[in-house]
Amino acid sequence: MRRIVNSTYLSLDGVIGNPQDWPSNGIEPDSVGGTVQMDLLLACDAVLMGGATYPAMASAWMARSGDPYSDRINTMTKYVVSSTLRDPEWPNTTVIRDNAIDEIRRLGQDIVQYGFGSVSYALLEAGLLDELRLWIHPLFVGRATTDDLLFRPSATAGMELTDTLTLNTGIVILTYRPMTLPTGS
């Protein structure tokens, strides 16, 4: 059965934007956090991104190779939901321009999604998000636009905490799955 897992870095002040510009997170490939990231990537067949996440991900990972994570993410299938991206440079990337939820529903692959924006909210509202992993970083970024924050006006969605993992860096990974809220909530 197809699964979609979202994995998102989040600061204490609710910022999700540009985590590559935050102070070092201390996650090394041979660390517990690195293992969690690698295990998730290996368990999935494809990566899903929105148009805002794609440029940072593509530029960061296309420039790297020679380690298991870089080699895996660079060779796997990638989908980008965007109305403006025309010729993605990152190999194995397909752009989904129209009817994103219907197209994603048809994919039939285990998918990891990084970042939490409009695509994530659409997946959540359509009942397609199976798991949410929030990597809570012990820092206040102190600056952000509304697009850099986790909050977006959306429908109410209940989440059930299924796992917690505290890393020696102070990062806490909270794993949730959607739950059905009682009528009237």
Side-chain angles (χ1 to χ4, degrees):
M1 185 169 137
R2 185 230 359 105
R3 287 179 11 126
I4 298 177
V5 177
N6 178 287
S7 182
T8 295
Y9 288 0
L10 176 68
S11 70
L12 293 174
D13 52 353
V15 177
I16 58 172
N18 302 308
Q20 72 278 2
D21 296 336
W22 299 353
S24 174
N25 60 22
I27 296 176
E28 300 297 329
D30 59 348
S31 70
V32 173
T35 300
V36 170
Q37 289 286 35
M38 189 71 214
D39 288 349
L40 176 58
L41 198 64
L42 289 172
C44 293
D45 306 304
V47 176
L48 175 65
M49 295 162 276
T53 302
Y54 173 80
M57 292 283 291
S59 66
W61 293 109
M62 285 192 318
R64 294 183 59 174
S65 66
D67 65 86
Y69 192 92
S70 298
D71 292 345
R72 171 74 174 147
I73 199 166
N74 283 323
T75 57
M76 58 192 306
T77 301
K78 291 166 279 294
Y79 298 99
V80 181
V81 177
S82 175
S83 61
T84 58
L85 182 64
R86 294 291 175 235
D87 295 313
E89 296 177 22
W90 202 1
N92 307 315
T93 298
T94 299
V95 178
I96 300 173
R97 287 185 181 79
D98 300 307
N99 305 312
I101 293 302
D102 291 336
E103 291 299 318
I104 293 166
R105 208 177 248 123
R106 283 192 272 273
L107 293 177
Q109 298 171 303
D110 286 341
I111 297 169
V112 59
Q113 183 199 21
Y114 298 109
F116 206 96
S118 59
V119 173
S120 308
Y121 279 101
L123 292 171
L124 189 59
E125 288 179 20
L128 294 178
L129 185 64
D130 299 294
E131 184 175 294
L132 172 61
R133 294 183 185 181
L134 293 175
W135 294 62
I136 311 298
H137 287 246
L139 67 98
F140 287 84
V141 174
R143 65 193 176 297
T145 67
T146 53
D147 288 340
D148 295 329
L149 299 174
L150 180 62
F151 170 78
R152 306 279 195 295
S154 67
T156 300
M159 303 298 282
E160 176 184 7
L161 181 66
T162 61
D163 193 30
T164 61
L165 177 62
T166 303
L167 306 180
N168 64 2
T169 58
I171 294 170
V172 178
I173 306 169
L174 302 175
T175 303
Y176 294 93
R177 71 172 173 230
M179 61 182 269
T180 304
L181 292 174
T183 305
S185 295

